[in-house]
Amino acid sequence: MDRSHFDKVAADFNITEGYMGTGAMASWDALLNFQRTREIKGDFFEIGAFRGKSATIMANHARPDEKIALVDSELEGNEMDETRSRIDQIKPGTTIHVCRSDSLTQHMDLDAAAKSCRWVHIDGFHSMAAVINDLKIADALLKHDGLICMDDFFAPHWPQVTAAVFRYLYTTTTDLNLVLLGFNKGYLCRTSSLKAYLQFISEEFSAALDARDTDHTMAKT
């Protein structure tokens, strides 16, 4: 672990307005560091950016040739300029689509971006229909060795999010698997990379969280 890099990630995260917890931030940093060590490359995509708190983590991990795209229907005017500036100070070139994700095809060529992302974060509208729609988008964009992160997974105030994830997994033709949950997030990967992620989570993830001063309990059913 590069402590100085994590301190930079944490500093940018902590000064940015938003609702994501530090445990989730540390988990992202550990998982993205695992991707770096495995030479997993690709772009970053997020539905529901708010002020860019979680996007600061992606920006700190993105390589110069990797792109970041954010989707948020409420980021307009000064708020959009401030969010873009905040992320661009870390990693220049952020793309922001001001729209609902169910109209994203009017703003972005999803076919051209298919299988291009190693990290997708879904934190948009929390209705059953919206989550399923966002999962379809994420499934189309995700590379064979990437991760999808679902916000408010198992959150008691949003049971429909969890229900939508399981409905998608069990009623859609997909090779996505639930591989990890914790700190209000659920993580999905493809079957082809399931073994690698499970091995990292089983053998290294707890120590990685310890190194990031994150209290946790690991469990496997």
Side-chain angles (χ1 to χ4, degrees):
M1 171 187 169
D2 184 341
R3 184 71 203 197
S4 63
H5 184 265
F6 174 69
D7 289 343
K8 172 66 165 51
V9 171
D12 289 334
F13 176 86
N14 289 331
I15 64 173
T16 306
E17 183 181 356
Y19 304 100
M20 186 174 178
T22 56
M25 178 271 292
S27 299
W28 277 35
D29 188 73
L31 290 164
L32 285 164
N33 187 65
F34 168 73
Q35 288 190 343
R36 182 188 61 79
T37 61
R38 292 292 295 257
E39 289 295 318
I40 296 172
K41 300 178 181 179
D43 296 331
F44 294 76
F45 184 83
E46 179 173 59
I47 297 175
F50 190 51
R51 299 297 179 82
K53 192 174 184 72
S54 52
T56 64
I57 311 171
M58 299 188 291
N60 271 295
H61 278 274
R63 298 174 177 87
D65 60 338
E66 293 175 332
K67 295 176 288 188
I68 299 172
L70 311 178
V71 179
D72 198 299
S73 63
E74 299 179 3
L75 270 181
E76 296 181 333
N78 290 336
E79 288 186 358
M80 182 173 70
D81 292 340
E82 291 171 4
T83 300
R84 190 195 309 278
S85 175
R86 184 177 299 115
I87 306 305
D88 280 354
Q89 288 177 19
I90 306 170
K91 169 70 170 62
T94 304
T95 298
I96 299 178
H97 301 286
V98 182
C99 64
R100 290 173 55 104
S101 56
D102 56 9
S103 64
L104 184 59
T105 54
Q106 301 174 28
H107 301 261
M108 176 181 175
D109 188 344
L110 291 175
D111 290 336
K115 311 301 182 187
S116 65
C117 295
R118 66 176 170 112
W119 192 270
V120 179
H121 182 218
I122 298 177
D123 186 13
F125 290 107
H126 279 19
S127 70
M128 174 79 73
V131 174
I132 290 176
N133 174 75
D134 293 350
L135 267 172
K136 289 179 180 177
I137 294 172
D139 201 352
L141 295 179
L142 192 71
K143 294 183 61 183
H144 70 94
D145 49 5
L147 278 176
I148 296 171
C149 178
M150 300 295 307
D151 184 60
D152 282 330
F153 191 75
F154 275 0
H157 286 90
W158 304 103
Q160 65 272 28
V161 172
T162 307
V165 172
F166 284 118
R167 175 177 289 187
Y168 186 84
L169 292 177
Y170 290 114
T171 65
T172 307
T173 302
T174 181
D175 62 344
L176 293 176
N177 303 265
L178 180 65
V179 68
L180 175 69
L181 62 94
F183 299 111
N184 211 48
K185 304 287 187 182
Y187 300 86
L188 309 172
C189 72
R190 299 203 183 279
T191 300
S192 59
S193 58
L194 180 61
K195 182 177 180 180
Y197 280 112
L198 283 175
Q199 184 174 357
F200 167 72
I201 292 165
S202 174
E203 299 177 1
E204 303 177 49
F205 190 57
S206 183
L209 292 180
D210 283 338
R212 291 161 176 81
D213 304 319
T214 302
D215 292 335
H216 65 283
T217 298
M218 293 285 293
K220 183 181 184 303
T221 59

